[in-house]
Amino acid sequence: MAELLERRVTARSRFGVSESGIVVALAGNPNTGKSTVFNALTGLRQHTGNWPGKTVTRAEGSFRFQHRKYNLVDLPGTYSLLARTTDEEIARDFLLFGKPDVVVVVVDATCLERNLNLVLQVLRVTPNVVVCLNLMDEAERHGLKIDPRALEQELGVPVVPTVATKRRGLERLVAAIARVASRERATPHPAITLEGEAHGAFEQILREVRVTYPSLDAAEWVALRLLERDEAMAQAIRSGHIARLAGVSHDVDTAQRLLEHAAALASSVEAADATVRAIFREAERIASRVVHGSTAPTRKADHALDKILTSKLFGFPVMLALLAAVFWLTIAGANVPSSLLAHWLFMIEERLLALMNAIGSPSWLTGFLIEGVYRGLAWVISVMLPPMAIFFPAFTLLEDLGYLPRAAFNLDRVFQKVGGHGKMALTMAMGFGCNAAGVISTRIIDSPRERLIAIITNNFMPCNGRWPTLIMLATVFIAAAFPPVVGALVGAGTLVGVVLIGFIVTLIVTYGLSRTALKGAASAFALELPPYRKPQVLRVLYTSLIDRTIFVLWRAVVIAAPAGGLAWILGNVSVGDRTLMSAIVDFLDPLGRLIGLDGVIILAYIVAIPANEVVVPTMLMAYLNYNKLIDVESTEQLKQLLIVDHGWTVLTAVCLMLFSLLHNPCSTTLWTIFKETGSKKWTLVSAFLPLGIAFLVCFLVAQTVRLFG
């Protein structure tokens, strides 16, 4: 195993990771520990899967064993290779056209029969397979006894039992990969017997495929797909992809005759779902021979818990309670580290100012760079980092425990009724941390129409950049009226109410889009409720802090830099006897008053387009007529400034909460939307639709309150 320590990252490419080395594809169902195996073998901490924050494209890495390099490609988690979804298509295309030397299929030992479905499909594509029988410790906990030797005899390929989280069995897994890569053993695989006339038609198509492509390993898979009239396979034959895969020259006429004959045979039988039925029968037969024992005790406990967490009566209250707990933990836990971080960063600012003055820097350059750009970045970092460092690990723990799929199950019915996708519940959850991360997470939605709806509506979930404004309002106007402990709870409840408003707006916009510009019926999807598991705390911390927190923070820092500089320019450049900031505030004030706000607030949101984190310091800067971004040190000072000095009321606070919740996405999110959709049109829609809704809602609230006094 010492040789596994010799690792390095490899370059990315469409199929395969390098010209040299053995290419090993890592496949498996979601929630089988596939990414844990990948990380353990390569040393990388990338994560590939089907839940929020995890990309549907593959991760790549390498390791060395017995002086040979192995390039490992982590394919998306998938239940099948029938290519009905994006992740299935990625996995199928790589296994067919990427020509990996070895395919490792990671299976869940607690659900072997279901996982064998994918194993049997992969064996139709290539015989060079190693089965990684993972989660053996959980199988034992469930009272299951699995005979790896018997399973190996049934499948005709190496089967290696592992507990990847504890690195058990990984040495044997690597050795098995090396044996298969060296072709040291024969790899027969079980036959798939179709029912009735479909079997005869399949045998005829298979004979023709083997005559046309004599050395094709995936001949059975090609025949099965032709029997079910799969257009993607037909196109692969027409284009010559299958010929290249088989190492023969492409003959258009021969390929066309094969397709015509296969189509005629397929049309003469009822072959729909014949492959699926046959594979499930074979998986059931094999599992019955190699699996012994019962999962009844632990499964009963899981089912009892599911009856509570997914019930119509308790599902939503529990979900809201957990959400409130995460918010309370984030609010209560982030205050102190945020203050300490701000204090430390502003100490650095003082030293930078001294340095700039010592070298004779012009005052305008010092002000722009230090009091504008640096101070803006300091606020972004001190405001974003502590909440994200608490929020992301807390949410990842819920994911690791197996709760998030249950939340999606609870919300699926609601989204189905408004024309959305059930997985929007998961992408919305990621939006709490960062809307840009939420947009990326919509890759788990297969329907392009529903994915676009999820992208447009993700903005209605308040992100880290909006929390400072929302927390300030909840603190000054609500929590401050109660004792500290009660105030924190009331503040958390207020934020949950804000989230519920965002959720309701999401449903309304989804309903409107699905019946107008993005008209269509909601699609069904398979949602697995994984077993409840003890979370891997160290991996959760690493994934949430490095892969999510630091990644999102870095993008915000890069894009937020201009905001601080712009705020400084507006506060320091004068036209006549007035600064640009005061002139713009006076111009915007009538519009702000119309929607229950004022010109300062509107200007702050314009300046904050790169990063919402600078909204509060920009407002304070304008109210106090300072020429640099500032903060107020206490709640009492804030109340004095906003309520007494500038006439804020509860209506101002309510309208600002609504505007903060509903307004346009920041530039980081808009850039992410453009990269994900490749469309200027939908990026503009994503920007102006929420902004229009924010103005409309605030206008209606303000005018209604004023009308009734």
Side-chain angles (χ1 to χ4, degrees):
M1 194 63 179
E3 289 175 291
L4 291 182
L5 298 177
E6 192 176 354
R7 301 155 174 155
R8 67 174 180 269
V9 180
T10 58
R12 294 177 183 269
S13 62
R14 177 161 175 76
F15 292 125
V17 291
S18 174
E19 292 296 325
S20 61
I22 304 298
V23 177
V24 181
L26 197 63
N29 289 183
N31 303 305
T32 59
K34 180 170 62 66
S35 293
T36 304
V37 173
F38 174 82
N39 292 334
L41 292 180
T42 65
L44 298 178
R45 292 300 181 266
Q46 299 180 31
H47 205 96
T48 301
N50 291 328
W51 304 118
K54 304 172 186 176
T55 173
V56 297
T57 56
R58 67 188 185 276
E60 300 172 355
S62 66
F63 63 89
R64 288 187 178 273
F65 180 72
Q66 296 179 346
H67 309 296
R68 299 183 73 180
K69 179 183 177 184
Y70 293 81
N71 298 313
L72 195 60
V73 181
D74 188 11
L75 299 178
T78 178
Y79 295 100
S80 172
L81 298 181
L82 299 179
R84 293 190 175 96
T85 65
T86 303
D87 46 7
E88 291 173 3
E89 183 181 357
I90 292 171
R92 180 208 64 186
D93 285 352
F94 186 85
L95 294 179
L96 271 174
F97 307 120
K99 300 183 70 173
D101 299 289
V102 183
V103 179
V104 177
V105 184
V106 182
V107 301
D108 181 352
T110 67
C111 307
L112 185 60
E113 180 180 328
R114 188 192 65 205
N115 282 241
L116 283 175
N117 173 45
L118 180 64
V119 175
L120 294 172
Q121 290 184 48
V122 173
L123 286 171
R124 309 275 77 74
V125 177
T126 174
N128 305 320
V129 173
V130 176
V131 174
C132 175
L133 190 60
N134 197 30
L135 303 174
M136 287 295 288
D137 54 340
E138 290 196 18
E140 292 173 4
R141 184 170 62 87
H142 286 304
L144 293 173
K145 294 183 179 179
I146 301 174
D147 187 345
R149 289 184 176 274
L151 182 59
E152 187 168 303
Q153 292 174 356
E154 289 285 346
L155 297 175
V157 297
V159 175
V160 182
T162 64
V163 181
T165 56
K166 300 177 181 177
R167 304 184 69 85
R168 295 179 190 168
L170 294 183
E171 299 93 337
R172 291 182 56 202
L173 178 64
V174 172
I177 293 171
R179 288 200 308 274
V180 172
S182 301
R183 307 293 192 272
E184 291 181 5
R185 53 174 291 156
T187 53
H189 50 266
I192 299 298
T193 305
L194 302 179
E195 295 175 333
E197 296 179 351
H199 178 70
F202 166 71
E203 290 295 334
Q204 290 187 56
I205 295 173
L206 178 59
R207 280 195 294 271
E208 290 203 29
V209 170
R210 284 176 171 162
V211 169
T212 308
Y213 309 111
S215 60
L216 181 65
D217 284 338
E220 287 189 25
W221 181 254
V222 172
L224 286 169
R225 303 314 301 137
L226 290 177
L227 180 66
E228 293 203 2
R229 287 166 279 193
D230 180 54
E231 181 54 35
M233 182 59 69
Q235 183 56 36
I237 291 174
R238 291 191 198 97
S239 64
H241 283 317
I242 299 300
R244 287 192 290 275
L245 193 64
V248 299
S249 59
H250 176 54
D251 184 278
V252 176
D253 293 335
T254 302
Q256 187 59 33
R257 284 195 298 271
L258 170 63
L259 291 175
E260 290 174 357
H261 192 202
L265 289 168
S267 64
S268 65
V269 298
E270 189 60 44
D273 297 325
T275 303
V276 174
R277 290 196 300 270
I279 290 177
F280 270 103
R281 279 199 314 273
E282 183 64 14
E284 182 182 12
R285 182 192 68 79
I286 294 174
S288 67
R289 294 189 178 188
V290 303
V291 181
H292 309 284
S294 172
T295 65
T298 49
R299 288 296 165 87
K300 282 183 179 179
D302 285 1
H303 290 161
L305 195 53
D306 278 342
K307 284 183 179 180
I308 298 173
L309 296 181
T310 63
S311 71
K312 293 181 179 180
L313 181 61
F314 298 107
F316 280 94
V318 169
M319 186 168 60
L320 292 176
L322 286 173
L323 187 61
V326 171
F327 286 154
W328 179 83
L329 185 64
T330 302
I331 294 169
N335 286 334
V336 173
S338 184
S339 298
L340 291 174
L341 187 57
H343 177 71
W344 181 72
L345 290 171
F346 292 137
M347 283 180 57
I348 295 177
E349 178 189 333
E350 293 175 3
R351 286 163 174 75
L352 290 174
L353 280 171
L355 176 63
M356 295 293 283
N357 292 330
I359 64 175
S361 171
S363 59
W364 65 267
L365 182 60
T366 300
F368 177 77
L369 292 178
I370 307 303
E371 296 175 348
V373 174
Y374 176 84
R375 178 163 280 203
L377 293 179
W379 278 122
V380 169
I381 294 171
S382 60
V383 168
M384 282 189 70
L385 182 56
M388 284 197 301
I390 297 172
F391 181 87
F392 279 138
F395 235 86
T396 307
L397 278 174
L398 291 178
E399 178 184 358
D400 244 34
L401 284 167
Y403 177 71
L404 288 189
R406 273 98 183 159
F409 177 85
N410 291 333
L411 294 173
D412 179 50
R413 291 186 295 269
V414 179
F415 282 114
Q416 288 278 335
K417 289 180 180 179
V418 298
H421 196 286
K423 288 183 180 179
M424 283 176 65
L426 302 174
T427 64
M428 285 167 54
M430 283 308 298
F432 288 137
C434 174
N435 291 135
V439 169
I440 292 174
S441 72
T442 61
R443 295 174 183 176
I444 65 175
I445 299 175
D446 304 309
S447 163
R449 181 190 69 85
E450 290 168 330
R451 185 184 176 215
L452 191 53
I453 291 175
I455 288 174
I456 294 171
T457 58
N458 192 267
N459 176 71
F460 300 124
M461 287 298 103
C463 64
N464 272 327
R466 306 181 195 209
W467 289 129
T469 305
L470 296 173
I471 291 172
M472 178 200 74
L473 295 169
T475 301
V476 172
F477 287 89
I478 299 172
F482 298 89
V485 176
V486 177
L489 293 174
V490 173
T494 302
L495 295 179
V496 172
V498 171
V499 170
L500 286 176
I501 293 173
F503 177 66
I504 292 170
V505 173
T506 297
L507 295 180
I508 294 172
V509 175
T510 298
Y511 181 85
L513 289 173
S514 66
R515 281 156 179 79
T516 54
L518 296 172
K519 189 174 183 179
S523 62
F525 73 102
L527 177 63
E528 178 188 12
L529 296 182
Y532 296 98
R533 292 170 179 161
K534 181 180 178 181
Q536 302 171 46
V537 177
L538 292 179
R539 186 187 66 79
V540 165
L541 290 175
Y542 190 98
T543 300
S544 55
L545 294 179
I546 303 301
D547 288 358
R548 296 180 182 178
T549 302
I550 300 302
F551 175 73
V552 172
L553 181 65
W554 172 248
R555 288 202 305 185
V557 163
V558 170
I559 294 183
L566 177 60
W568 184 89
I569 291 172
L570 293 176
N572 285 270
V573 176
S574 298
V575 177
D577 58 348
R578 305 170 66 197
T579 64
L580 287 176
M581 180 171 286
S582 62
I584 296 173
V585 165
D586 290 344
F587 175 76
L588 294 174
D589 200 60
L591 175 62
R593 301 290 176 185
L594 192 65
I595 60 173
L597 305 176
D598 62 22
V600 168
I601 298 172
I602 299 298
L603 173 62
Y605 275 97
I606 293 173
V607 172
I609 289 175
N612 286 299
E613 291 76 15
V614 299
V615 165
V616 174
T618 302
M619 283 195 300
L620 300 180
M621 173 181 169
Y623 281 138
L624 293 171
N625 293 316
Y626 271 49
N627 58 2
K628 59 184 178 181
L629 295 177
I630 65 163
D631 193 17
V632 176
E633 295 180 356
S634 71
T635 301
E636 289 304 316
Q637 284 182 304
L638 198 57
K639 291 174 68 175
Q640 173 71 27
L641 176 66
L642 299 179
I643 299 174
V644 179
D645 296 344
H646 290 89
W648 277 36
T649 64
V650 174
L651 175 62
T652 311
V654 169
C655 288
L656 181 51
M657 272 192 170
L658 291 172
F659 193 84
S660 180
L661 172 70
L662 302 174
H663 77 283
N664 54 282
C666 69
S667 56
T668 303
T669 303
L670 289 174
W671 177 250
T672 304
I673 291 172
F674 176 71
K675 297 294 287 185
E676 291 295 310
T677 63
S679 169
K680 293 179 181 178
K681 169 189 171 183
W682 291 115
T683 302
L684 291 173
V685 169
S686 301
F688 289 107
L689 178 62
L691 187 61
I693 292 174
F695 271 99
L696 177 62
V697 170
C698 290
F699 173 79
L700 292 175
V701 170
Q703 298 308 315
T704 300
V705 170
R706 288 165 181 164
L707 180 64
F708 292 98

